[in-house]
Amino acid sequence: MITAERKPLEEIIEYIRPFQKILLIGCNECVTVCSAGGRKEVGVLSSLLQMSFLKQGKNLQIREHTLERQCDPEYVEELVSMVDGVDAILSMACGCGVQEICRRFKNKPVFPAVNTKFMGASERQGVWAERCQGCGNCLLGVTGGICPIARCSKQLMNGPCGGSTSGKCEISPDVDCAWQLIWDRLKALGMEDRYEEIIPAKDWRPGRAAGPRKIIREDLAE
Amino acid sequence: MKTDSVLEKVLKSGNLAVTSECGPPRGAVPEKVRQKAEMLRGYVDAVNVTDNQTAMVRMSSFAASVIIRQMGLHPIMQMVTRDRNRLAMQSDIIGAYSHGINTMLCLSGDHPHFGDHPMAMGVHDIDSIQFIQMVRKMRDEGKFQGGADIENPPKMFIGAAANPFADPFELRVARLAKKVAAGVDFIQTQCIYNLDKFEKWMAGVRDRGLDEKCYILAGITPIKTVGMARYMKNKVPGMDVPQEVVDRMAGVPKEKQAEEGIKICVESIERLKQVKGVAGFHIMAIEWEQKVPEIVEKAGLYPRPQIA
Ligand code: SF4
Ligand code: SF4
C-alpha cells in the first residue's frame, strides 16, 4: 500500500488560514490502513483545526467527508454537491488522491494534509516499512523475493556493500541490510548459486527514466 | 598487458606492488594535492585519489588525478556510483584517459548519510559490479555501456574494493568472484587488523582460484592513537579491529603510540607477505601520508622496481 503521515498542524493551518469554509476529505484505502487519512483521522484533524482557529477568535467551518477511493474519478464525483459551498479543499489522501481532486475541481484551491511516503507493508502494529519503488521491471524473482532497489540504501543489485554489519545496514542499526535478508532467504531455499549470477545494469525506462508513466490496457480502455 | 598502467606492469612482473592514497582537499588548493603526492614519490607505484570520500565534497578525483599525473606520478582515479550516472561516469573516464590516467577504482561509495550533505540524493544508477562491467566493455569491446562505438577507447586497468570483514562473511568470497566475473583486474581490500580472518578469507579466495584471476592488494592503515583504534573498532561499519590491537595501543604511553602503530603495521605487512595470493599492499595513511615512506622502507618494500 501507499503510506503517508499527517503533515505538521502548523503547515496545514498556514494553507487554510485565508479561508472560512473548508471541505476536509479522507480516503478509505491505503491512508486508512496506515492511520494517516481515513475517517478517524479526518475527525481528529477537523477538531484540531477548529480548536486552533477558535483560539485565534476565528470560526472555521469544516465539512468532513471520506471517500471510498480518492484516486478514482467515479468516487470523486460524489463531492460535486459539497464543493460548491466551500472556499477550499483539504485532502488527507495520498498525492494521487489530492491530484485527482485538483483535476476534477479546477476552480477550488486544494491542499494536501498528509505527506505521502512510500509503497510499503506493515511490519507490526504501528510500523510500516518501504518495500517497493515501482521500478517497473520487478527483480524479486531473482533476488529471493526481497527488493534490493527499495530496501538496500545504495540500491545495489549484486550483493552487499562493505558496510553490512550483523544483518544491519551501514546507515543505521534500525535498518535491515537488504542483502543479508536476500542471502538468508536464498540459503533457506537452497538457492545460493543464484547469488553469483550478475544482474546487469538496469534499464530504468520502465521506471522513472522515461518520464511520467502510464498504463494503457487496450482491452479495457474506452 | 591490457593497459599502459604502471601498476599493471609492476604486478605482472611479479613484484609486490605498493599503492597509497591521497585524499583531495576541500577547496581549490592544488598545492595541497602536490604536497601530499610529493611525499609518496618513489615509495609507491601508484596513488589512489579518493572520490568525495566519506561523502564529503572535495576537489574531484578526476582533477586531483590530473594534477598528480602532471607531476609524473601514477594516479588511481577512484570513482563512486553514488555521485554520477552512467553518462557522467563514462565521460569522465574518457576525459581522464585523455589526460593519461589509465588506472581506476570502481566503488559504490559511502552513503551520503555519513557526509556533510546528508540531504543529497545518491545516484546509484549502476552498482559497483555493473560499473566494472561497463569499464571493461569500454576497454575490451570499445563500446559505451549503451552500445555505441567509442573512438579511441580508454584502456583502463580496473580495480575494485573488497571487504573481507563485512557481513555476511560467507558471502565475501562469492562477492569477489562476482567482481572477477565482471572483469576486475585488481582488488584493494579494507584495512586489515584481524589477520586471522583475512587469512581465512584468502584461503576461500585461493580455493576458487580467484587470486589467479585478479591481483589482491592487502589494505593497511597505520593506527596513530589508541583513540583511533577504539573509534575504528566501534564506530566504522565493516571495520574489524580486534581487542588485542586496541590493548596493544593502550599498553604504550601516549607519546609512543604512533610508533607502536607503525610497528603493528610493519608486522602485519611482514605476515601478509607470506600469504599466498597477496600481490601487494595498499597503504592508507589518512592525513598521515608522511609516514608512508617509513612504512615502505621498514617493511622491506623499498626501493620500488623501476618499470617504465
Ligand atoms: S524490483 Fe522494482 S518492482 Fe520489484 S519490488 Fe523492487 S522496486 Fe518494486
Ligand atoms: S549495508 Fe546492506 S542495505 Fe545497506 S547499503 Fe550496504 S548492502 Fe545495502
Side-chain angles (χ1 to χ4, degrees):
Chain A
M1 66 168 157
I2 294 176
T3 60
E5 274 181 320
R6 205 196 74 207
K7 280 181 175 288
L9 197 59
E10 306 72 54
E11 184 185 343
I12 302 174
I13 289 172
E14 279 316 304
Y15 286 137
I16 60 170
R17 193 181 291 291
F19 308 106
Q20 249 78 60
K21 292 185 196 151
I22 300 291
L23 176 60
L24 176 57
I25 41 176
C27 175
N28 221 358
E29 297 276 1
C30 308
V31 288
T32 294
V33 184
C34 67
S35 302
R39 195 178 309 276
K40 196 167 133 226
E41 291 73 31
V42 164
V44 173
L45 178 61
S46 175
S47 317
L48 285 172
L49 289 173
Q50 260 151 351
M51 273 192 305
S52 159
F53 276 83
L54 216 55
K55 264 194 224 150
Q56 298 164 34
K58 189 177 155 188
N59 183 19
L60 180 72
Q61 292 177 33
I62 302 185
R63 174 148 194 201
E64 301 168 23
H65 190 76
T66 296
L67 291 177
E68 200 47 42
R69 217 170 19 250
Q70 255 187 65
C71 57
D72 194 331
E74 199 181 313
Y75 293 103
V76 171
E77 217 43 46
E78 267 175 43
L79 297 174
V80 170
S81 60
M82 299 170 220
V83 163
D84 273 349
V86 302
D87 309 322
I89 302 172
L90 191 56
S91 163
M92 295 198 86
C94 73
C96 312
V98 178
Q99 292 182 66
E100 198 45 39
I101 304 293
C102 291
R103 193 188 60 81
R104 178 61 185 83
F105 303 107
K106 300 212 164 28
N107 303 321
K108 288 289 166 194
V110 179
F111 301 100
V114 304
N115 289 321
T116 305
K117 306 291 271 199
F118 51 79
M119 286 190 271
S122 171
E123 284 192 335
R124 55 177 198 275
Q125 179 71 24
V127 179
W128 293 269
E130 183 157 22
R131 292 288 183 261
C132 172
Q133 279 190 6
C135 76
N137 188 5
C138 193
L139 294 172
L140 290 177
V142 290
T143 58
I146 290 154
C147 175
I149 309 294
R151 300 178 72 178
C152 166
S153 304
K154 296 180 193 164
Q155 215 164 273
L156 302 179
M157 283 160 260
N158 285 291
C161 75
S164 177
T165 309
S166 312
K168 299 297 173 184
C169 173
E170 68 170 27
I171 66 154
S172 159
D174 300 329
V175 177
D176 290 329
C177 168
W179 276 99
Q180 178 76 55
L181 297 175
I182 293 171
W183 177 242
D184 290 347
R185 198 165 145 80
L186 289 177
K187 253 192 335 187
L189 297 171
M191 292 166 69
E192 290 96 326
D193 294 352
R194 260 288 156 78
Y195 172 74
E196 300 227 3
E197 287 163 26
I198 295 181
I199 296 180
K202 207 162 166 56
D203 180 343
W204 294 107
R205 280 172 296 184
R208 272 287 297 162
R213 294 174 272 177
K214 200 178 248 187
I215 296 174
I216 301 173
R217 280 277 304 269
E218 300 292 356
D219 54 335
L220 301 173
E222 284 163 14
Chain B
M1 218 64 80
K2 296 174 187 170
T3 71
D4 288 330
S5 166
V6 162
L7 181 62
E8 181 179 12
K9 287 176 187 155
V10 171
L11 287 164
K12 191 112 201 203
S13 73
N15 283 285
L16 286 168
V18 180
T19 57
S20 187
E21 170 173 297
C22 168
R26 303 199 71 204
V29 273
E31 53 280 11
K32 280 203 176 167
V33 178
R34 284 185 208 110
Q35 243 169 37
K36 276 191 182 178
E38 199 51 57
M39 289 185 227
L40 303 171
R41 192 190 288 275
Y43 290 90
V44 301
D45 305 311
V47 181
N48 283 51
V49 186
T50 54
D51 183 13
N52 286 342
Q53 195 173 17
T54 62
M56 313 256 277
V57 179
R58 292 164 193 278
M59 181 190 293
S60 75
S61 164
F62 181 176
S65 291
V66 169
I67 295 173
I68 291 174
R69 186 71 201 96
Q70 284 166 349
M71 295 167 68
L73 300 174
H74 305 287
I76 300 174
M77 182 175 72
Q78 298 194 183
M79 194 183 278
V80 298
T81 61
R82 178 196 61 223
D83 302 339
R84 287 171 176 79
N85 71 5
R86 59 192 94 177
L87 275 87
M89 293 172 130
Q90 293 177 97
S91 65
D92 277 356
I93 291 166
I94 53 179
Y97 189 70
S98 303
H99 283 281
I101 296 159
N102 51 27
T103 311
M104 64 180 293
L105 200 71
C106 305
L107 305 169
S108 50
D110 298 308
H111 195 274
H113 169 79
F114 294 102
D116 63 349
H117 289 72
M119 69 300 273
M121 181 67 150
V123 179
H124 304 303
D125 175 22
I126 55 176
D127 70 18
S128 52
I129 284 174
Q130 296 158 352
F131 186 5
I132 295 166
Q133 284 183 319
M134 179 174 83
V135 185
R136 181 171 69 171
K137 181 172 172 179
M138 292 173 79
R139 180 187 69 198
D140 296 348
E141 296 173 33
K143 294 209 186 296
F144 287 116
Q145 203 266 345
D149 289 339
I150 306 174
E151 187 183 340
N152 190 27
K155 304 276 183 212
M156 286 285 178
F157 192 50
I158 307 168
N163 185 358
F165 308 107
D167 290 323
F169 179 68
E170 49 188 346
L171 206 56
R172 290 295 152 182
V173 172
R175 173 101 169 127
L176 177 65
K178 261 180 127 164
K179 290 191 174 177
V180 167
V184 82
D185 299 310
F186 71 99
I187 290 288
Q188 292 173 322
T189 76
Q190 171 71 293
C191 334
I192 303 161
Y193 298 105
N194 186 342
L195 282 87
D196 295 337
K197 197 164 186 183
F198 178 76
E199 285 173 354
K200 200 169 150 203
W201 177 74
M202 278 303 296
V205 168
R206 284 193 306 269
D207 279 348
R208 295 192 54 176
L210 299 173
D211 57 319
E212 277 155 26
K213 296 187 180 134
C214 70
Y215 298 103
I216 296 168
L217 275 59
I220 297 288
T221 292
I223 305 176
K224 252 188 203 172
T225 61
V226 65
M228 174 178 167
R230 288 205 183 101
Y231 176 80
M232 289 196 299
K233 178 175 169 57
N234 301 321
K235 292 272 149 59
V236 183
M239 192 78 107
D240 183 346
V241 183
Q243 190 57 42
E244 302 100 78
V245 175
V246 180
D247 292 346
R248 187 168 159 188
M249 289 297 286
V252 296
K254 214 171 168 45
E255 66 284 0
K256 293 259 173 172
Q257 282 176 2
E259 202 181 303
E260 192 67 17
I262 302 287
K263 236 191 242 169
I264 295 176
C265 159
V266 172
E267 286 168 25
S268 301
I269 296 178
E270 289 301 350
R271 181 168 154 191
L272 291 166
K273 279 186 191 173
Q274 311 305 318
V275 178
K276 189 171 174 284
V278 170
F281 297 92
H282 178 46
I283 305 168
M284 297 163 272
I286 303 140
E287 298 306 321
W288 212 21
E289 290 81 4
Q290 66 272 24
K291 284 288 174 187
V292 172
E294 182 183 332
I295 296 168
V296 174
E297 276 183 39
K298 286 191 170 155
L301 296 166
Y302 188 79
R304 300 305 313 142
Q306 292 310 305
I307 290 171

